[in-house]
Amino acid sequence: MVLIGKLYSTPALRQTMVIRATAAVAGVELEEPEYKHFEDNKKPEFLAKFPFGLVPALECTNGLKLSEGAAIARYIASLSPNSGLLGGTPEDAALVDQYVHFAETEIHSANELIYRMLNGFLPYNKTIHTAIAERQLRGLNSLEALLLTRTYLVGERLTLADITVASVIFRSVGLTVDAPLRAKLPNTLRYLDLIINQPKIKEVFGTPNFVEKAVQYTPPAKEKKEKEPKQPAPPAPKKEKPKKEDVDDEDDDQLVPEEPKAKNPLDLLPKSTFNLEDWKRAYSNKDTRGPNGSLEWFYANFDKEGFSVYRVDFKYNEELTLVFMSSNQIGGFFNRLEASRKYLFGSVGVLGEANNSIITGVLILRGQEVKAVVDCAPDYESYDYRKLDLENSEDKAFFEGALAWDLEVDGKKWQDGKNFK
């Protein structure tokens, strides 16, 4: 076999399994030098080659340097067109990519998050755990229905799609897909057995570890504190009658006035004709659009001298993953704005889809400066703010779309949102 480069990784990674299996089917060889995670990937010489500091990482003999397991596996598959790993046509290759993406986002991402929560890498949240498990189940049921009439996912022979999907199921049966659930997925289990027992990759996969019951959260045990024996209370000293001078001193202390609480500068602004609480009630009780809707109420009552409207955008959209998690992030941001509730209204949402989404929306706030209202939230600098001119047609359309929850930005449609009222 032809040596194509060095693979830096750890055996425990699912992506390592996919890369090794792909290389075996493609008929190429990978050198795997000794690698210590959290040590070697922080060294300057490693970061010079792979700036992200992530593994798996492939250093090819032709000079190419790649990280991200799916990209590495696809590149290796492309080196052997006769292997059929990417199908036989551009359409086949697109279907292969589709199933790889489906497996990683709809099934494997659930495994990752659940594993991290149950092992202390993330705070445990039962609601999130349940929602993730339900999402994964929908993906598994879709796959089960698909495999009723198929041996392989694309065409009639093994492809990278099969290797990737099998690796995800291989991990799932040892974590979330327990015995009762496996009984409902006969096609998926048949498919797993077929793929992992292919002669060229059987050794790479090994034998699955089937759990009888899906892993569950176990709260840490509370340490029991031994009660110290009570010591007899010392006799109370006799109180001497205070001298008159002492009494006078105490009285003088009590006469010192408490320092008055500083007023919020927003309370010192000139009185406005726009009542934010009335607006919040109108928004809650009326349809947003249409005659006598909340937008009509807003335009009839808004005071642009006393209040302003801002667009808000999350700065780090590339870090967003699942839609419901991004929506929870908005909720957390709103919770941290609690101190400004009487000065602020917000409508912010998640637009797009899992792993390709943005957080954006609008704020209606007291005064003209956004910082005075939002800097009570420690993470306010994670967002960009731009004042909207409601006489500008584009700004007005954005404002109305965010309030009506039908906003669309660059082809990304509103999926979920939250209001700050």
Side-chain angles (χ1 to χ4, degrees):
M1 290 195 291
V2 178
L3 177 67
I4 63 165
K6 298 178 181 178
L7 177 66
Y8 301 90
S9 189
T10 60
L13 284 176
R14 178 197 60 83
Q15 294 172 319
T16 304
M17 182 190 300
V18 173
I19 292 167
R20 287 174 174 172
T22 303
V25 177
V28 298
E29 186 178 349
L30 295 169
E31 180 185 346
E32 297 189 43
E34 184 179 349
Y35 169 82
K36 291 183 180 178
H37 200 41
F38 299 123
E39 292 184 21
D40 292 339
N41 60 322
K42 294 182 179 180
K43 293 179 179 177
E45 55 269 30
F46 187 93
L47 293 172
K49 298 175 185 176
F50 308 104
F52 301 140
L54 299 174
V55 293
L58 178 65
E59 182 181 8
C60 297
T61 54
N62 63 6
L64 176 66
K65 297 175 182 64
L66 279 177
S67 58
E68 296 296 338
I72 294 171
R74 198 185 195 288
Y75 171 70
I76 293 172
S78 72
L79 297 177
S80 180
N82 292 334
S83 67
L85 282 166
L86 298 178
T89 66
E91 291 76 16
D92 286 347
L95 288 171
V96 169
D97 289 341
Q98 168 189 280
Y99 289 119
V100 168
H101 184 71
F102 166 80
E104 295 199 333
T105 58
E106 300 301 318
I107 303 176
H108 177 64
S109 62
N111 288 337
E112 284 286 300
L113 289 167
I114 290 172
Y115 177 84
R116 287 174 180 273
M117 282 197 295
L118 297 185
N119 287 276
F121 297 104
L122 292 172
Y124 182 75
N125 183 297
K126 186 175 181 180
T127 303
I128 293 178
H129 185 174
T130 302
I132 293 170
E134 289 174 352
R135 183 186 179 99
Q136 184 186 56
L137 181 59
R138 289 196 296 273
L140 287 167
N141 286 337
S142 298
L143 183 64
E144 173 69 12
L146 191 69
L147 292 172
L148 177 63
T149 58
R150 302 189 187 196
T151 303
Y152 299 100
L153 288 170
V154 181
E156 299 300 328
R157 59 187 295 192
L158 183 76
T159 65
L160 178 58
D162 299 306
I163 294 174
T164 303
V165 172
S167 74
V168 168
I169 302 168
F170 187 95
R171 287 285 193 242
S172 300
V173 297
L175 188 68
T176 57
V177 181
D178 55 15
L181 180 52
R182 290 197 297 273
K184 300 175 183 178
L185 303 172
N187 301 321
T188 304
L189 271 292
R190 167 191 54 78
Y191 171 79
L192 174 65
D193 185 67
L194 170 71
I195 303 303
I196 67 175
N197 284 296
Q198 298 280 316
K200 291 183 178 180
I201 61 177
K202 184 175 182 179
E203 190 175 323
V204 174
F205 275 93
T207 304
N209 175 35
F210 294 101
V211 293
E212 286 302 306
K213 187 177 180 182
V215 289
Q216 298 294 325
Y217 175 66
T218 304
K222 292 183 179 179
E223 292 183 7
K224 291 184 178 180
K225 293 184 179 180
E226 294 184 7
K227 291 184 179 180
E228 295 183 5
K230 288 187 177 180
Q231 300 292 332
K238 287 185 179 180
K239 289 187 179 180
E240 293 184 11
K241 190 174 180 179
K243 297 177 183 176
K244 187 157 189 325
E245 307 87 67
D246 294 336
V247 174
D248 290 343
D249 287 345
E250 288 179 10
D251 289 343
D252 287 345
D253 287 343
Q254 292 171 3
L255 292 175
V256 177
E258 291 184 7
E259 185 178 346
K261 292 183 179 178
K263 276 196 171 186
N264 189 311
L266 296 170
D267 292 328
L268 303 177
L269 293 174
K271 190 172 181 180
S272 173
T273 57
F274 181 72
N275 188 306
L276 190 62
E277 296 306 312
D278 286 348
W279 156 247
K280 291 177 181 180
R281 282 189 287 273
Y283 182 80
S284 299
N285 298 325
K286 298 173 179 281
D287 291 335
T288 307
R289 298 186 186 274
N292 198 34
S294 61
L295 279 170
E296 184 178 295
W297 188 98
F298 177 85
Y299 290 126
N301 292 275
F302 185 60
D303 166 26
K304 66 178 182 180
E305 301 300 326
F307 283 79
S308 54
V309 177
Y310 275 81
R311 171 173 173 167
V312 56
D313 290 279
F314 185 54
K315 291 181 179 179
Y316 310 109
N317 290 314
E318 68 279 2
E319 296 179 2
L320 302 179
T321 54
L322 303 180
V323 170
F324 81 91
M325 295 180 68
S326 303
S327 184
N328 288 343
Q329 178 172 310
I330 299 170
F333 177 50
F334 281 175
N335 288 339
R336 292 182 284 277
L337 287 170
E338 179 62 34
S340 288
R341 185 169 294 277
K342 72 176 187 176
Y343 312 112
L344 179 66
F345 168 88
S347 182
V348 179
V350 185
L351 284 64
E353 59 186 7
N355 300 303
N356 181 28
S357 62
I358 63 172
I359 290 177
T360 189
V362 294
L363 303 175
I364 301 171
L365 54 93
R366 187 75 167 101
Q368 302 300 316
E369 299 300 325
V370 67
K371 185 178 177 182
V373 179
V374 301
D375 67 356
C376 61
D379 55 341
Y380 83 94
E381 291 182 326
S382 296
Y383 296 82
D384 285 321
Y385 307 89
R386 180 175 71 82
K387 186 182 285 188
L388 296 182
D389 176 6
L390 297 183
E391 294 180 3
N392 176 286
S393 59
E394 289 186 5
D395 284 0
K396 184 177 182 181
F398 183 93
F399 171 70
E400 294 181 354
L403 292 183
W405 285 26
D406 56 14
L407 180 65
E408 184 173 339
V409 176
D410 297 331
K412 294 181 173 66
K413 295 183 179 180
W414 190 287
Q415 296 297 325
D416 196 9
K418 293 190 183 294
N419 291 126
F420 184 83
K421 293 189 287 187

